[in-house]
Amino acid sequence: MYRSTEGGTAMTRSARLAAVAALAIVFAAGTAGRPASAQAPLTSGGPVSPALLEDLAAAYRILAMEGVIDAYGHVSVRHPGNPNRYLMSRSLGPALVTPADLMEYDLDSTPVDLKGRNSVLERFIHGEIYKARPDVMVVVHSHAPSVIPFSITQVPLRPVFHMATFLSVGVPVWDSRSVKDPAAAALLVRNGVMGRSLAAALGDKPVALLRGHGNVVVGPNLQITVRQAIYTEVNAKMLITALGLGGPVNYISAEEGAAVEKTPGDTARGWELWKRKALGQ
Amino acid sequence: MYRSTEGGTAMTRSARLAAVAALAIVFAAGTAGRPASAQAPLTSGGPVSPALLEDLAAAYRILAMEGVIDAYGHVSVRHPGNPNRYLMSRSLGPALVTPADLMEYDLDSTPVDLKGRNSVLERFIHGEIYKARPDVMVVVHSHAPSVIPFSITQVPLRPVFHMATFLSVGVPVWDSRSVKDPAAAALLVRNGVMGRSLAAALGDKPVALLRGHGNVVVGPNLQITVRQAIYTEVNAKMLITALGLGGPVNYISAEEGAAVEKTPGDTARGWELWKRKALGQ
Amino acid sequence: MYRSTEGGTAMTRSARLAAVAALAIVFAAGTAGRPASAQAPLTSGGPVSPALLEDLAAAYRILAMEGVIDAYGHVSVRHPGNPNRYLMSRSLGPALVTPADLMEYDLDSTPVDLKGRNSVLERFIHGEIYKARPDVMVVVHSHAPSVIPFSITQVPLRPVFHMATFLSVGVPVWDSRSVKDPAAAALLVRNGVMGRSLAAALGDKPVALLRGHGNVVVGPNLQITVRQAIYTEVNAKMLITALGLGGPVNYISAEEGAAVEKTPGDTARGWELWKRKALGQ
Amino acid sequence: MYRSTEGGTAMTRSARLAAVAALAIVFAAGTAGRPASAQAPLTSGGPVSPALLEDLAAAYRILAMEGVIDAYGHVSVRHPGNPNRYLMSRSLGPALVTPADLMEYDLDSTPVDLKGRNSVLERFIHGEIYKARPDVMVVVHSHAPSVIPFSITQVPLRPVFHMATFLSVGVPVWDSRSVKDPAAAALLVRNGVMGRSLAAALGDKPVALLRGHGNVVVGPNLQITVRQAIYTEVNAKMLITALGLGGPVNYISAEEGAAVEKTPGDTARGWELWKRKALGQ
């Protein structure tokens, strides 16, 4: 379903999934059950193209500019050279992120080389989703303000706008209180247990809501995933208004969602605009 | 009804309609039934004044600045020298458009000279409306966010604000699912069949809604049409609020709409302001 | 009730009202019944301090910056040297107004010296209110978007915020259709008949709504009147939200409104901030 | 509960509360019952670090930038060298405040050295809360627009967002009409009587609403309190939307609020971002 535009590989999806799964097994075997302090230093997934680092930093700024992430959101990209690594910013306001702020993590969300920087507390959202979803190359976590009301009511977030047809497969709502973990009461995804529970709730969907907290949007590359994060918020606003007008809402159907999925639009147009604006170019 | 301010011609409306119709017949006869690859190169409608190109590029930026079009909206102008041609931007974020990005199309929405650029997928909206409506000189397609809720509920978009009296003639809602075309399920107006269906739904009105998608606003020149696109969104916001307050809404009547139509306001004031702001002047 | 901060006079309100009334009678006697073309050239009220002109131009920009006036709002000041004259901008987008754009009118809204400029169509709002309300030194006309819904529903605009206690005396709603004039159907206040009807509806109040159109806010000087125009919009937004929450709304009472009227707040703080921001200082 | 990040002291909370209480007694004994004109000049609490002054000025600008305070809000910090003094800006629009505009007050809100400047009328909010709440180091007073509707309806402001869990202890609503004071009818907190009544209503909570007026947010340092002021507004917006969607709202529970209180998040990330943006860095 997803095709990566980063990394330039021509692998088919099934080949990539197999490769990811194989690597995941190898990596897991090497670290399972060992306390962090006893582990050998983590190896890096290798150098990453400056273009990808620039795009990842731009993604932070785009999502901030568009009102999707506040001071506390984050975006990550799976390492193009090693599916058991991912890249995300140190703890920093999204509008400030530059390529120099990007750090590398393994899928347990342990930094490869901390260098005295602060990691984001909720990085486990990213690592655990990458473990569970080999097809996912990008994870966005936000507190998008118009989406949160759908996480605290019984009203489902459904698509009403053709730019958000990806929501037609359903949007699960994850409640941190469902996790048996001491951290659960404090809502944040502060460890792997919480992250795995969230990833399980997400299942094979592109979007899941975190009750009273925010959402995650996952996808095959930065352009598509950032766009979906933006239009998840836009669609939520439109749906709120439509529901306020009353009467039956004419939702985008599952058939329409599937048809759009087969005929992708012009992703580059939005990305180029947002990136140039976000970087002040 | 409409008088063009572009092109400087003094033709009456009926004379212009006749000319447009005549040219349309000639042009249609020359290309009908031939596959695109077999066609002779399209001829250009001829040079266009730099002032019109600047105004069209400004229209993109104005509509972006005013929140009417997002990354994916577009505006076109019928070619002042040939009613069977129209001008619109290559696929580009509206806030980035300059005169150099403008391309020429025939009314089948085939580019006169592609020069390796990407055309907008939904350009057929423009071409088919120009075919069906000789009086229309400008077409705006947007995802104006407050208008979309009226396309997915049973609540009609009606005027409540004196700057939007043009809505008093009624606002049709077009549903892509009504078209018998393989592209219909994916919502976008990707071909002439879809575009013709939309143009038929628009009829002789200035505004039509595209269910779960956006709207089109058409008019006689850039100043009036851009203003109407802006106030369609503003009026939608006001109506949403008024409906939320409850009780009967005191709409602008058809009589008032007709009276305003006969006494045009000061279109230049808004245009000058918006253009200077949008171009940073 | 009102004290002017412009013009620097130390006249009491009653003395000023008497002077205004006397001048109004003289001026009316000189022009009544004569067609405009037969009139002697209008005399100017005399030079105006650059500080007042700068403040009036700033008022346009402040109200635009704060979202109170769109491209089509206007503000005027009664001439400090002649109560039968007032000053307002030529037809120009509010965010562009400079002191050089200000023109002088008599209370029939005839320009003292047109100099080829375009006057605002609805200047009669200003002239007729100055005739009817000698205590009024400033008039703002806007399409403030959150206020308009109260003009098209049966829900009264009442104060819920201590910065808008001036609304506690009541807010009349004027409907252009109530006027017996050929211009009435087109909603705009295009002549003295329409303006007088609006002024009569305003009565002795600080704010009146124009159904499906906008509002007028009048007051004793620019600082207070601009602030009241801003907080009329802010209060409307808060009231809309409160009504949406449901249940009884705890309005500001008439007693509270009267008490605030006697203990004016720090008007200068807001004005200084808004002016510096609006002028980019 | 609160730990100060300003002033650099390592005192435990109980030690600091004891020190504050002791100093408060000494200071009160020295001034009680004397009319202001008969008092000896107030002594300053001593020099304050430039970093704290810069942060306090930044707090004004951050809260203005985030739409929490309008032209008339204010923030104060208890003097780090003398708990009977506090620092806040002279009467000035928040977006204009610099360290040079900060003034020192005693807890009766008498300026230590007026130097011809204008004090904020409602400074008694700050002084009286510092008297009543030795644990409070920062006070924010705002007219945050989405919070006010909860002060004029029967709908309680409760947390629905994990960044606003501090609201789970309850949010009192204070009504100025409950005070037996001549100033009460005019709503503003213009003297110590009004301020003490408000402080009593606040009790041991972090947030209280002022009916038809605004709110106060108090806390242990600028970073936490400014963040709480911002997220009080954000949470109010989300709750308004959720209530509009209808059905039961899944609030953050008291248990969750308590759990979050024990596991503080990354306060520095937001502060750094907001400060850099607000200061244009």
Side-chain angles (χ1 to χ4, degrees):
Chain A
M1 179 169 51
Y2 289 162
R3 257 176 306 160
S4 172
T5 62
E6 284 96 38
T9 65
M11 272 197 287
T12 62
R13 181 173 178 250
S14 58
R16 197 178 65 241
L17 294 193
V20 168
L23 277 159
I25 290 165
V26 170
F27 197 86
T31 61
R34 291 195 294 170
S37 58
Q39 289 179 10
L42 284 174
T43 54
S44 166
V48 176
S49 75
L52 177 57
L53 297 177
E54 181 188 282
D55 274 0
L56 179 52
Y60 276 91
R61 290 170 181 250
I62 288 168
L63 291 165
M65 175 181 76
E66 295 293 309
V68 173
I69 54 178
D70 62 359
Y72 292 94
H74 22 92
V75 199
S76 67
V77 171
R78 194 190 289 267
H79 195 295
N82 181 345
N84 283 313
R85 298 286 182 275
Y86 70 91
L87 306 165
M88 71 182 294
S89 172
R90 66 180 178 96
S91 178
L92 186 65
L96 306 176
V97 171
T98 66
D101 299 306
L102 300 174
M103 298 175 60
E104 185 178 346
Y105 294 91
D106 72 6
L107 299 195
D108 289 328
S109 298
T110 305
V112 169
D113 187 355
L114 193 57
K115 289 185 187 159
R117 294 168 292 185
N118 285 323
S119 290
V120 167
L121 288 174
E122 295 198 295
R123 61 194 180 277
F124 305 94
I125 294 171
H126 302 256
E128 297 302 328
I129 289 175
Y130 288 124
K131 278 186 197 167
R133 288 280 298 274
D135 62 315
V136 165
M137 296 295 136
V138 172
V139 176
V140 173
H141 169 54
S142 82
H143 304 157
S146 306
V147 178
I148 286 181
F150 293 94
S151 80
I152 54 176
T153 59
Q154 300 302 310
V155 181
L157 178 60
R158 295 177 55 190
V160 289
F161 183 35
H162 79 295
M163 301 296 280
T165 47
F166 54 87
L167 299 174
S168 65
V169 295
V171 181
V173 179
W174 176 77
D175 190 331
S176 55
R177 292 174 302 190
S178 68
V179 190
K180 299 244 180 285
D181 188 86
L187 289 122
L188 297 186
V189 183
R190 285 172 180 266
N191 60 42
V193 174
M194 302 285 288
R196 276 191 289 282
S197 171
L198 170 59
L202 173 66
D204 62 353
K205 304 291 192 295
V207 180
L209 310 191
L210 289 68
R211 169 212 156 239
H213 179 160
N215 68 74
V216 290
V217 180
V218 303
N221 60 50
L222 280 168
Q223 290 194 5
I224 288 177
T225 316
V226 164
R227 186 170 90 161
Q228 291 189 342
I230 290 172
Y231 283 106
T232 297
E233 170 72 4
V234 170
N235 183 84
K237 275 189 201 151
M238 290 174 177
L239 178 53
I240 289 164
T241 303
L243 290 166
L245 289 177
V249 170
N250 199 342
Y251 291 99
I252 302 289
S253 70
E255 291 71 31
E256 291 177 302
V260 170
E261 194 69 23
K262 287 181 207 141
T263 55
D266 185 350
T267 311
R269 190 180 344 158
W271 177 261
E272 179 190 1
L273 171 69
W274 295 321
K275 185 176 168 185
R276 283 177 56 179
K277 283 175 68 178
L279 300 184
Q281 293 171 339
Chain B
M1 178 168 55
Y2 288 162
R3 260 177 304 161
S4 172
T5 62
E6 283 97 38
T9 66
M11 272 198 288
T12 62
R13 181 172 178 251
S14 58
R16 197 179 64 242
L17 294 193
V20 168
L23 278 159
I25 290 166
V26 170
F27 196 86
T31 61
R34 291 195 295 169
S37 57
Q39 290 178 8
L42 284 173
T43 54
S44 166
V48 176
S49 75
L52 177 58
L53 298 177
E54 181 188 281
D55 276 359
L56 178 53
Y60 276 91
R61 290 171 182 249
I62 289 169
L63 291 166
M65 175 182 76
E66 295 293 310
V68 173
I69 54 179
D70 63 358
Y72 292 93
H74 21 92
V75 199
S76 68
V77 171
R78 195 191 289 267
H79 194 295
N82 181 345
N84 284 312
R85 297 285 181 276
Y86 69 92
L87 306 165
M88 70 182 294
S89 173
R90 67 181 177 95
S91 178
L92 185 66
L96 306 176
V97 171
T98 66
D101 299 306
L102 300 174
M103 297 174 61
E104 186 178 346
Y105 295 91
D106 71 5
L107 300 195
D108 289 328
S109 298
T110 305
V112 169
D113 187 355
L114 194 56
K115 289 185 185 158
R117 294 168 292 186
N118 286 323
S119 289
V120 167
L121 289 174
E122 294 197 295
R123 61 193 181 278
F124 304 94
I125 293 172
H126 302 257
E128 298 302 327
I129 289 175
Y130 289 125
K131 278 186 198 166
R133 289 281 299 272
D135 61 315
V136 165
M137 296 295 135
V138 173
V139 176
V140 173
H141 169 54
S142 83
H143 304 157
S146 306
V147 177
I148 286 180
F150 293 94
S151 80
I152 54 175
T153 59
Q154 300 302 311
V155 181
L157 178 60
R158 294 178 56 190
V160 290
F161 183 34
H162 79 294
M163 302 297 280
T165 48
F166 54 87
L167 299 174
S168 65
V169 295
V171 181
V173 179
W174 175 76
D175 191 331
S176 55
R177 293 174 301 190
S178 68
V179 189
K180 298 246 179 285
D181 188 85
L187 289 121
L188 297 187
V189 183
R190 288 173 178 265
N191 60 43
V193 174
M194 302 285 288
R196 276 190 290 282
S197 171
L198 170 59
L202 173 66
D204 61 354
K205 303 291 192 295
V207 180
L209 309 191
L210 290 68
R211 169 209 154 243
H213 179 162
N215 69 76
V216 290
V217 180
V218 303
N221 60 50
L222 280 168
Q223 290 194 5
I224 288 177
T225 316
V226 164
R227 187 170 89 162
Q228 291 189 344
I230 291 171
Y231 283 106
T232 297
E233 169 72 5
V234 170
N235 184 83
K237 275 189 201 150
M238 290 174 178
L239 178 54
I240 289 163
T241 303
L243 290 166
L245 290 176
V249 170
N250 199 343
Y251 291 99
I252 302 289
S253 68
E255 290 73 30
E256 291 176 303
V260 170
E261 194 68 22
K262 287 180 207 142
T263 56
D266 184 352
T267 311
R269 192 183 340 161
W271 177 261
E272 179 189 1
L273 171 69
W274 294 321
K275 185 175 167 186
R276 282 176 57 178
K277 283 175 68 178
L279 300 184
Q281 295 171 337
Chain C
M1 177 170 55
Y2 288 163
R3 259 177 305 161
S4 171
T5 62
E6 284 95 38
T9 66
M11 274 197 286
T12 62
R13 183 176 177 248
S14 57
R16 197 179 63 242
L17 294 193
V20 168
L23 279 159
I25 290 167
V26 171
F27 197 87
T31 61
R34 291 194 296 169
S37 59
Q39 289 180 10
L42 284 174
T43 54
S44 166
V48 176
S49 75
L52 177 58
L53 298 177
E54 181 188 283
D55 275 359
L56 178 53
Y60 276 91
R61 291 171 180 249
I62 289 168
L63 291 166
M65 174 182 78
E66 295 293 309
V68 173
I69 53 179
D70 62 359
Y72 292 93
H74 21 93
V75 199
S76 67
V77 171
R78 195 191 289 269
H79 195 295
N82 181 345
N84 283 313
R85 297 285 181 276
Y86 69 92
L87 306 165
M88 71 183 292
S89 173
R90 68 182 175 97
S91 177
L92 186 65
L96 305 176
V97 171
T98 65
D101 298 306
L102 301 175
M103 297 174 62
E104 187 178 345
Y105 294 90
D106 71 6
L107 299 196
D108 289 328
S109 298
T110 305
V112 169
D113 186 356
L114 194 58
K115 291 183 185 159
R117 294 168 292 187
N118 286 323
S119 289
V120 167
L121 289 174
E122 294 198 295
R123 60 193 182 278
F124 304 94
I125 294 173
H126 301 257
E128 299 301 327
I129 290 176
Y130 288 125
K131 278 186 197 166
R133 287 280 299 272
D135 61 314
V136 165
M137 297 296 136
V138 173
V139 175
V140 173
H141 169 55
S142 83
H143 305 157
S146 306
V147 178
I148 286 181
F150 293 95
S151 80
I152 54 175
T153 58
Q154 300 302 311
V155 181
L157 178 60
R158 294 178 56 189
V160 290
F161 183 34
H162 79 294
M163 302 296 281
T165 49
F166 54 87
L167 299 174
S168 65
V169 296
V171 180
V173 179
W174 175 77
D175 191 329
S176 55
R177 293 175 300 190
S178 68
V179 190
K180 299 244 180 283
D181 188 87
L187 287 123
L188 297 186
V189 183
R190 287 173 179 263
N191 60 42
V193 174
M194 301 286 287
R196 276 191 290 282
S197 172
L198 170 59
L202 173 66
D204 63 353
K205 303 292 193 294
V207 180
L209 309 191
L210 289 68
R211 169 207 155 244
H213 179 161
N215 69 75
V216 290
V217 180
V218 302
N221 60 51
L222 280 168
Q223 290 194 5
I224 287 176
T225 316
V226 165
R227 186 170 90 162
Q228 291 189 343
I230 291 171
Y231 282 107
T232 297
E233 169 73 5
V234 170
N235 183 84
K237 273 188 203 152
M238 291 175 177
L239 178 53
I240 289 164
T241 304
L243 289 166
L245 290 176
V249 170
N250 199 343
Y251 291 99
I252 301 288
S253 69
E255 290 73 31
E256 291 176 303
V260 170
E261 193 70 21
K262 287 181 206 142
T263 56
D266 185 351
T267 311
R269 194 186 333 164
W271 178 260
E272 180 189 0
L273 171 68
W274 294 321
K275 185 175 167 184
R276 283 177 56 178
K277 284 175 68 179
L279 301 184
Q281 296 171 336
Chain D
M1 176 170 55
Y2 288 164
R3 257 177 307 161
S4 170
T5 61
E6 284 96 39
T9 65
M11 273 198 286
T12 63
R13 181 174 177 249
S14 57
R16 197 180 63 242
L17 293 193
V20 168
L23 278 160
I25 290 166
V26 170
F27 196 87
T31 61
R34 290 194 297 169
S37 59
Q39 289 180 9
L42 284 174
T43 54
S44 165
V48 176
S49 75
L52 177 57
L53 297 177
E54 180 187 284
D55 276 359
L56 178 53
Y60 276 91
R61 290 170 181 250
I62 288 168
L63 291 166
M65 175 181 78
E66 294 293 310
V68 173
I69 53 178
D70 62 359
Y72 293 93
H74 21 92
V75 200
S76 68
V77 172
R78 195 191 289 268
H79 195 295
N82 181 345
N84 283 312
R85 298 284 182 277
Y86 70 91
L87 306 165
M88 72 182 292
S89 172
R90 67 181 176 95
S91 178
L92 186 67
L96 306 175
V97 171
T98 66
D101 298 306
L102 301 174
M103 297 174 62
E104 186 178 346
Y105 295 90
D106 72 6
L107 300 196
D108 289 328
S109 297
T110 306
V112 169
D113 187 354
L114 194 56
K115 291 184 184 159
R117 294 169 292 185
N118 285 323
S119 289
V120 167
L121 289 174
E122 295 198 295
R123 61 194 181 277
F124 304 94
I125 293 172
H126 301 258
E128 299 301 327
I129 289 175
Y130 288 125
K131 277 185 196 167
R133 287 281 299 272
D135 61 314
V136 165
M137 297 295 135
V138 173
V139 175
V140 173
H141 169 54
S142 83
H143 305 157
S146 305
V147 178
I148 286 181
F150 293 95
S151 80
I152 54 175
T153 58
Q154 301 300 312
V155 181
L157 178 60
R158 294 178 57 188
V160 289
F161 183 35
H162 79 294
M163 302 296 280
T165 48
F166 54 88
L167 299 174
S168 66
V169 295
V171 180
V173 179
W174 175 77
D175 191 331
S176 55
R177 292 175 300 190
S178 68
V179 189
K180 299 242 181 286
D181 188 86
L187 289 124
L188 297 186
V189 183
R190 285 172 180 265
N191 60 43
V193 173
M194 302 285 288
R196 276 190 290 283
S197 172
L198 170 59
L202 174 65
D204 63 352
K205 304 293 192 292
V207 180
L209 309 191
L210 289 69
R211 170 212 153 241
H213 179 160
N215 70 74
V216 291
V217 180
V218 302
N221 60 50
L222 280 168
Q223 290 194 4
I224 288 176
T225 316
V226 164
R227 186 170 90 162
Q228 291 189 343
I230 290 171
Y231 283 107
T232 297
E233 170 71 4
V234 170
N235 183 85
K237 274 189 203 152
M238 291 174 177
L239 178 53
I240 289 164
T241 303
L243 290 166
L245 290 176
V249 170
N250 199 344
Y251 291 99
I252 302 288
S253 69
E255 291 72 31
E256 291 176 302
V260 169
E261 194 69 22
K262 286 181 206 141
T263 57
D266 185 350
T267 311
R269 194 186 334 163
W271 177 261
E272 180 189 0
L273 171 68
W274 294 321
K275 184 175 167 185
R276 282 177 57 178
K277 283 175 68 180
L279 301 184
Q281 294 171 338

